Amino acid sequence: MAKSKRKPKKASVSANRVAELAGVSRSAVSRTFTDGASVSAETRAKVLAAAERLGYHVNHLARGLIHHRSGIICLIVAEMQTPYQAAFVDMATRRLQAIGKVVMVLNATGQPANVEAALRQTLNYRADATVVVSGSPPASLIETCIENGQRVILINRDDAAAGPHVVMVDNDTAAREAMLMLRRAGCVRLAVISSTAGTPSIIARERAFAAAAQEQGLEVQIVRAGPTGYAAGADGARQVLALSSRPEGVFCTTDLLALGFMDAARQEFCLRVPEDLCVIGFDDIPEAGWLGYNLTTFRQPIEEIVSQIAQILETEDEEDTGPRCLPVQVVWRRTVRP
Amino acid sequence: MAKSKRKPKKASVSANRVAELAGVSRSAVSRTFTDGASVSAETRAKVLAAAERLGYHVNHLARGLIHHRSGIICLIVAEMQTPYQAAFVDMATRRLQAIGKVVMVLNATGQPANVEAALRQTLNYRADATVVVSGSPPASLIETCIENGQRVILINRDDAAAGPHVVMVDNDTAAREAMLMLRRAGCVRLAVISSTAGTPSIIARERAFAAAAQEQGLEVQIVRAGPTGYAAGADGARQVLALSSRPEGVFCTTDLLALGFMDAARQEFCLRVPEDLCVIGFDDIPEAGWLGYNLTTFRQPIEEIVSQIAQILETEDEEDTGPRCLPVQVVWRRTVRP
DNA sequence: CCATCAATTGCACAGCCTTGCAACAAAACT
DNA sequence: AGTTTTGTTGCAAGGCTGTGCAATTGATGG
């Protein structure tokens, strides 16, 4: 009588009905739809015909019940409307579908509690694996996942020590390279435009850039004007360019920050890029290549990251191969003087 | 023996084990996790304690098996990396999670066959409903969905006649309004920059704009330079602005097209917007509000669309309320002279 | 003290599928 | 022809949960 009570509509057609119509046993139907099972061509044909006529589709819920694996991969993600995350989800769904998986997207935007709720769903649906792109899941829940035979794959977040698989990108090398690029362009006063999000990736980029600069005896100003995004980049520009000695070279920890920064620099401070100011981003989102920006940046190897995920999924053994670190590639465009 | 054979890892903990540990029947466990079931506070507490200790999570696969509804909503989408689609998926996952559903994303980018495969998965997992955002599913499969008691919700595609629910946006009124806005800004030579995608929405916008212009006795040039996106917008500009009598007012059927168009117009033809050229877009993606663009456009009411979806899902009766058409709102910025 | 009632609990079945096992038929071989 | 091999097929059990029904319990009222 509760509000959640729904009438079961029309029961969907089951293997029983197909078997009946085809004049074979239910097992035969099952085997027809199971790879590698032993069925004669004749019965197979009969079954397929009957299935087609009735609109039968194997119930993956029941199948998952038996196999202890549902074929579902959970993707825990937040801020999905940002270009980088969107591109990632796009690529991931495509690749994982190609290897016969299906992706359940759990949006963990907002409170950290949402990550926990998302991870719970993962367990409820007996997902084959969980890919965490955003947010930091509580260690206890990760443990539960693993104890239940589930795999957890962390992308660009090395905080959780052992257990889950980790795929990350070589933020350090990239950030150091960025510093050298600005240095070679003749920039002396440097700044990092970053965000208050404080994700492992962003922190790593800030730190590595600052460390590299310090080794050269250069001072770096770090500005975090808000949550990662265009607006924070623009605000960062307003903070940093109003100073008497404005920076000549800027490393933005995200492309979106870089684009906001450049727009504010040009519109509100009448600065030219790269003549007055060199800018480097990170991610290589599509917008970075637009005519108005031509942002020099580092390409996140999304395809490779997803390939690593696919590879982990297809590997039998639970060997902890340690974190996999992928190189990033610099994309030269026109916001840094050569 | 097939390659797909996997060892079932560790069997996850079932209600049986919890019942055992708590010293109650398995039914008690089940009822503890069922809303509105009759359990004493005492046993409930015992069960919860045992469940916590064992890391038990209700198996939604088995639950779905009984209820004939899995709690899964399938979202069939393509080109997910584009800002509009990404924003839609973001909003949809958030809202649907809030009403206790979980979203399975099926990427139908590429061949039309992919849509069919996606719709099959929908049936395999006994989804409560399927939301089609991209692609045109074959009518026969939609029929199968409905026969199996599943709901199909089409967004911005009115092609399928009866049966599924349809939520769409008032493209016609918006496009006519766009025409009037350009007219009032004093533009006489008009153009529509569109794409070769040929989705119902885009076609509707083209047609309505052209019809409105014709009523005023104005000629309109329609250019489709490629698949919907930034590049096609820039190419459209190259085609249309190279002519001797270039248009003064341009309606782009998508913001992404508009941004590409504007960039090419400014960079490659040294035209000023809106002094030399007025531009109107459609969607109101975040990029449209960036400082360098300030694009006047029409806001797609994403929240309202998703609200409609939620409302359909929460309605008991399968009454076909006919297509729901939502108004779009004009967002005045600075690419059209007032 | 007994009857009545409500609340709780356990049993057993249903829901849909996969698969080991055994039975079976046909084909291949000696 | 008899025997072994190979390939099919059906039976039945198992996986996990929700729920109708009946039974039990405790409380309430006369």
Side-chain angles (χ1 to χ4, degrees):
Chain A
M1 305 313 157
K3 62 184 189 313
S4 67
K5 194 101 155 208
R6 301 271 173 77
K7 60 170 179 284
K9 300 284 165 199
K10 235 169 296 178
S12 59
V13 11
S14 75
N16 261 324
R17 297 242 323 261
V18 177
E20 219 168 284
L21 178 61
V24 298
S25 79
R26 199 184 35 262
S27 321
V29 177
S30 184
R31 285 192 247 261
T32 300
F33 293 103
T34 306
D35 274 353
S38 163
V39 216
S40 69
E42 188 188 6
T43 47
R44 170 187 213 83
K46 278 195 292 188
V47 168
L48 286 178
E52 175 72 19
R53 221 154 75 79
L54 265 53
Y56 170 73
H57 289 257
V58 180
N59 189 330
H60 276 39
L61 269 43
R63 180 177 272 183
L65 202 51
I66 297 178
H67 286 149
H68 291 285
R69 44 176 60 246
S70 56
I72 297 174
I73 308 289
C74 283
L75 211 61
I76 299 187
V77 64
E79 308 285 341
M80 213 184 316
Q81 82 287 4
T82 62
Y84 171 66
Q85 303 279 3
F88 184 89
V89 175
D90 185 41
M91 183 66 71
T93 48
R94 280 220 289 257
R95 273 300 291 271
L96 295 180
Q97 274 173 221
I99 62 171
K101 303 292 186 184
V102 80
V103 174
M104 186 174 272
V105 171
L106 299 172
N107 196 323
T109 306
Q111 301 91 12
N114 289 353
V115 181
E116 201 174 315
L119 217 41
R120 284 248 154 68
Q121 292 288 24
T122 269
L123 291 165
N124 282 333
Y125 284 96
R126 301 297 192 266
D128 296 359
T130 303
V131 179
V132 181
V133 188
S134 305
S136 305
S140 67
L141 265 183
I142 291 197
E143 194 125 344
T144 305
C145 283
I146 293 171
E147 270 173 11
N148 287 6
Q150 212 171 93
R151 293 175 165 192
V152 180
I153 305 176
L154 265 35
I155 308 297
N156 273 336
R157 27 199 70 244
D158 51 358
D159 30 24
H165 301 264
V166 174
V167 179
M168 47 190 304
V169 134
D170 193 352
N171 291 303
D172 286 22
T173 306
R176 301 187 86 88
E177 175 67 17
M179 193 275 150
L180 292 176
M181 286 159 66
L182 292 177
R183 193 79 191 81
R184 273 186 236 119
C187 305
V188 176
R189 293 189 300 279
L190 302 179
V192 175
I193 301 294
S194 189
S195 89
T196 52
T199 67
S201 284
I202 286 185
I203 292 177
R205 291 171 204 163
E206 292 177 4
R207 290 231 180 98
F209 187 91
Q214 201 158 12
E215 285 167 17
Q216 303 253 341
L218 298 175
E219 275 301 318
V220 178
Q221 187 181 3
I222 301 189
V223 176
R224 302 182 192 86
T228 321
Y230 179 89
D235 283 343
R238 286 170 198 130
Q239 285 183 29
V240 110
L241 299 180
L243 302 175
S244 54
S245 70
R246 59 165 178 78
E248 305 154 309
V250 174
F251 175 51
C252 301
T253 50
T254 274
D255 276 359
L256 228 36
L257 290 167
L259 301 182
F261 182 90
M262 281 174 66
D263 273 347
R266 295 208 266 224
Q267 310 274 326
E268 299 174 13
F269 294 89
C270 296
L271 293 170
R272 291 163 306 161
V273 178
E275 292 81 356
D276 307 322
L277 195 60
C278 292
V279 179
I280 299 181
F282 203 111
D283 282 347
D284 194 28
I285 61 179
E287 289 82 342
W290 287 2
L291 298 170
Y293 296 108
N294 263 313
L295 178 68
T296 294
T297 187
F298 294 91
R299 194 179 70 83
Q300 286 241 34
I302 296 186
E303 306 105 17
E304 285 85 348
I305 295 175
V306 175
S307 290
Q308 291 289 328
I309 295 174
Q311 190 184 317
I312 291 173
L313 291 179
E314 289 186 321
T315 309
E316 291 279 338
D317 50 10
E318 194 60 41
E319 285 308 306
D320 197 358
T321 54
R324 297 150 187 248
C325 192
L326 301 175
V328 304
Q329 199 186 345
V330 50
V331 180
W332 278 99
R333 291 206 185 89
R334 293 209 301 268
T335 55
V336 174
R337 296 185 293 271
Chain B
M1 304 311 159
K3 62 187 189 311
S4 68
K5 194 100 156 207
R6 299 271 173 77
K7 62 169 176 285
K9 300 287 166 194
K10 234 169 295 178
S12 59
V13 10
S14 74
N16 260 324
R17 296 243 323 260
V18 178
E20 220 168 282
L21 177 62
V24 298
S25 80
R26 205 185 45 68
S27 318
V29 178
S30 183
R31 284 191 247 262
T32 299
F33 293 103
T34 305
D35 274 352
S38 162
V39 218
S40 71
E42 188 188 8
T43 46
R44 172 187 210 83
K46 279 195 292 189
V47 168
L48 286 178
E52 174 72 18
R53 220 156 75 78
L54 265 53
Y56 170 72
H57 289 258
V58 180
N59 189 331
H60 277 39
L61 270 43
R63 180 179 272 184
L65 203 50
I66 295 180
H67 285 154
H68 291 286
R69 46 176 57 247
S70 57
I72 297 173
I73 308 290
C74 284
L75 210 61
I76 300 188
V77 63
E79 307 285 342
M80 215 183 317
Q81 82 286 3
T82 61
Y84 171 67
Q85 303 279 3
F88 185 88
V89 175
D90 185 40
M91 182 66 71
T93 49
R94 281 220 289 256
R95 274 299 292 271
L96 296 181
Q97 274 172 220
I99 61 171
K101 302 293 186 184
V102 80
V103 174
M104 186 174 271
V105 171
L106 300 171
N107 195 324
T109 307
Q111 300 92 9
N114 290 352
V115 181
E116 199 174 318
L119 217 41
R120 284 247 154 69
Q121 292 287 24
T122 268
L123 290 165
N124 283 332
Y125 284 95
R126 301 297 191 265
D128 295 359
T130 303
V131 179
V132 181
V133 188
S134 305
S136 306
S140 67
L141 266 182
I142 291 196
E143 194 124 346
T144 305
C145 283
I146 293 170
E147 272 173 11
N148 288 6
Q150 212 171 94
R151 291 172 167 195
V152 180
I153 305 176
L154 266 35
I155 308 297
N156 273 335
R157 29 199 67 247
D158 52 356
D159 29 23
H165 302 264
V166 174
V167 178
M168 48 190 304
V169 133
D170 192 353
N171 292 303
D172 286 22
T173 306
R176 301 186 86 88
E177 175 67 16
M179 193 275 152
L180 291 176
M181 286 159 66
L182 293 177
R183 194 76 191 83
R184 272 185 237 119
C187 304
V188 177
R189 292 189 302 277
L190 303 178
V192 174
I193 302 293
S194 190
S195 87
T196 52
T199 68
S201 284
I202 287 185
I203 292 177
R205 291 171 205 164
E206 291 176 4
R207 289 231 180 99
F209 187 91
Q214 200 157 13
E215 286 168 16
Q216 302 254 341
L218 298 175
E219 275 301 317
V220 178
Q221 187 180 4
I222 300 189
V223 176
R224 304 181 192 87
T228 320
Y230 179 88
D235 283 344
R238 287 172 197 126
Q239 285 182 28
V240 111
L241 298 179
L243 303 175
S244 54
S245 69
R246 58 166 178 77
E248 304 153 309
V250 175
F251 174 51
C252 301
T253 50
T254 273
D255 276 359
L256 230 35
L257 290 167
L259 301 182
F261 182 90
M262 279 174 68
D263 273 346
R266 295 208 267 223
Q267 310 274 326
E268 299 173 13
F269 294 89
C270 297
L271 293 170
R272 292 163 306 161
V273 178
E275 292 83 354
D276 306 321
L277 195 60
C278 293
V279 179
I280 298 180
F282 203 110
D283 282 348
D284 194 27
I285 61 178
E287 288 83 345
W290 288 3
L291 297 170
Y293 296 108
N294 264 312
L295 178 67
T296 294
T297 185
F298 293 91
R299 193 179 72 82
Q300 286 241 33
I302 296 186
E303 306 106 16
E304 286 84 349
I305 295 175
V306 174
S307 289
Q308 291 290 328
I309 295 175
Q311 190 185 316
I312 291 173
L313 292 180
E314 290 186 322
T315 309
E316 291 280 338
D317 51 9
E318 194 61 41
E319 285 309 304
D320 198 358
T321 55
R324 297 151 187 249
C325 192
L326 300 174
V328 304
Q329 199 186 344
V330 50
V331 180
W332 278 99
R333 291 207 186 88
R334 293 209 301 267
T335 54
V336 175
R337 296 186 293 271

